[in-house]
Amino acid sequence: MNAPTKNDIANAYCIVKQYAHCTPVLTSQSVNRILGCEAFFKCENFQKVGAFKFRGASNAVFNLPDELAKKGVCTHSSGNHAAALALAASLRGIPAYIVMPSNAPAIKRKAVEGYGAKIFTCESTQEAREKELERVQSETGATFIHPYENFDVICGQGTASLELLQEVNDLQTIITPVGGGGLFSGTLIYTKETHPSIEVYAGEPLNADDAFRSLRDGVLYPSINPNTIADGLRTSLCPLTLSIIQKYTDGIFTVTEEAIVDAMRLVWERMKIIIEPSSAVPVAAIMQNREVFEGKKVGIIVSGGNVDVEKLPF
Amino acid sequence: MNAPTKNDIANAYCIVKQYAHCTPVLTSQSVNRILGCEAFFKCENFQKVGAFKFRGASNAVFNLPDELAKKGVCTHSSGNHAAALALAASLRGIPAYIVMPSNAPAIKRKAVEGYGAKIFTCESTQEAREKELERVQSETGATFIHPYENFDVICGQGTASLELLQEVNDLQTIITPVGGGGLFSGTLIYTKETHPSIEVYAGEPLNADDAFRSLRDGVLYPSINPNTIADGLRTSLCPLTLSIIQKYTDGIFTVTEEAIVDAMRLVWERMKIIIEPSSAVPVAAIMQNREVFEGKKVGIIVSGGNVDVEKLPF
């Protein structure tokens, strides 16, 4: 699979902007004081389905040729991509088939059902997911939209940084979370190909540090049942996202579970916005690497806000 | 005390806008579907100190003549007004003395201390508050800024509706919470004197329904130790706010504690913003009085977002 370019992302935006919200960029003086930098939060927690994933999913769904589209789309996902694909499919009026692990948060399961998708439950291992998906695919003829190993999905995710760069001038740094690498690689491509001087980093849970190790060693390490509160970041990179990250990133910072919870609480209490643990990871990375970000204008892509309010880590 | 007019509120805005945020107005298609109307959330939870109270406090503090100001300001408050007055005083470089009940939420106490105010703790009865405040006042010579029985405070609170009306055209209804009535009466004056056709309502906890009963009977009933989760709405109207409410309002709706928690959860889950229980009261009022709001463009003043995340009602 070829890597997308900035032009592919600009083209994706022509589709994405028809369906997705142009999310607000929020700032907070008290958060700036605590982080020691000027932070611009690109609030994809306010995106449709509560996560940036809707950008990639809508781009993928609306790029499908009619004869494929009518058979529907399918995927396996721990949650946000599933909801995003379900909504995008319902907007195009085509079926969506979602394979979900049995341990997916209730709120995400409910959202997927609410968008009219058909859910197939499986065990939470990568193997079980893939096997069940294969079965669903062969039965329905639906097109598999991978959560990140997909050209159109990566292009869609890159449009969040496109909007951020349109709204905020003179950013010096951008940081995102990294799980499978769709958001991170889309952000890298668009930012580095349009503003080469901007540094682009990712934050990753120490307990799910496959991207950090893969980048360091130049080898694709799978993430095997990682134990992190950041449920959106338990997936592994794929060859395509690793190659984009290798080409462009300035680095990946790993953070502890405790730092993730502290950062999440900081944003909740000071900014009054609900962010999911995955979105607190880049904030934690800034707090633990002050020397890198000190005094700079930093864009933070807030990946999502889907949290089970009955199961908070505070 | 004379009641303010729309011109007083417009004048207050010349001061308030120098210090307060012009907060965003947020909308949500899924919330609209659930409420059965087109709702515009004026997000004072994103205001400085996390509540609309900063508008009134900053207007009162910056309107003080120098010779009074230098002796400082004082008040008693369960929380948001205290933090607001503390911040406004620190911005003007004058002392603030705050009498707080011993049962005030920890997060609000911490905020007040963070702004450099001096705190005096007392029992949570109205009598104990007033007695302690009198003592502080006579000791320091500070000017008492009442949380709502104050001309400048009411004018400041009215500026939230001024901004809302500037941003959203063709509103048919506005609804706020009502506790002491500062926000409600400021909203009533500005809205009814500039857009007489807009209906203006308040939501009030059934367990603290002094405003509802006072309006119904034309008598000022005190609110005696009311038991409601909406901690910002436990106070009673004063003669000034009651007279403004009598003159202008289209009605007050009371809501149960259960409805408040349901509405709070709805906003948290669907809009990904943190609102305090008091701010969920108008949303609950809409949900329980659909026939009044159905199909209309409704402005909702979200009063604040100060919640102790360790003590959530979910």
Side-chain angles (χ1 to χ4, degrees), chain A residues 1-5 8 59 148-156 240:
Chain A
M1 204 182 295
N2 285 332
T5 66
D8 296 318
N59 191 46
Y148 47 91
E149 192 167 18
N150 179 301
F151 186 95
D152 291 326
V153 168
I154 292 175
C155 289
L240 177 58

Side-chain angles (χ1 to χ4, degrees), chain A residues 201-265:
Chain A
Y201 298 98
E204 188 179 35
L206 186 60
N207 287 2
D209 67 344
D210 60 291
F212 173 81
R213 289 182 294 114
S214 298
L215 176 67
R216 182 192 61 196
D217 300 344
V219 177
L220 194 62
Y221 294 118
S223 183
I224 299 158
N225 294 329
N227 180 21
T228 174
I229 189 181
D231 56 286
L233 308 181
R234 289 178 192 147
T235 44
S236 317
L237 297 183
C238 63
L240 177 58
T241 54
L242 176 58
S243 70
I244 297 166
I245 293 168
Q246 285 176 317
K247 182 172 178 187
Y248 283 131
T249 191
D250 294 283
I252 294 175
F253 300 109
T254 57
V255 294
T256 62
E257 296 297 298
E258 199 188 350
I260 296 170
V261 174
D262 286 350
M264 182 170 159
R265 185 169 180 153

Side-chain angles (χ1 to χ4, degrees), chain B residues 197-273:
Chain B
S197 68
I198 296 179
E199 294 174 349
V200 183
Y201 298 97
E204 188 178 37
L206 186 61
N207 286 2
D209 66 344
D210 61 291
F212 173 82
R213 288 181 294 115
S214 298
L215 177 66
R216 182 192 61 197
D217 300 345
V219 177
L220 194 63
Y221 293 118
S223 183
I224 298 158
N225 293 331
N227 180 22
T228 174
I229 189 180
D231 56 286
L233 308 181
R234 289 177 191 146
T235 44
S236 317
L237 297 183
C238 63
L240 177 59
T241 53
L242 175 58
S243 70
I244 297 167
I245 293 168
Q246 285 176 316
K247 182 171 178 190
Y248 282 132
T249 191
D250 295 283
I252 295 175
F253 301 108
T254 57
V255 294
T256 62
E257 295 297 297
E258 199 188 351
I260 297 170
V261 174
D262 286 350
M264 182 169 159
R265 184 168 181 154
L266 171 75
V267 172
W268 282 48
E269 288 190 346
R270 297 285 174 156
M271 300 188 66
K272 313 299 179 192
I273 60 173

Side-chain angles (χ1 to χ4, degrees), chain A residues 45 265 272 274 305-306 310, chain B residues 45 265 272 274 305-306 310:
Chain A
N45 51 334
R265 185 169 180 153
K272 312 299 179 192
I274 291 178
N306 292 323
E310 283 171 8
Chain B
N45 51 335
R265 184 168 181 154
K272 313 299 179 192
I274 291 177
N306 292 322
E310 283 171 8

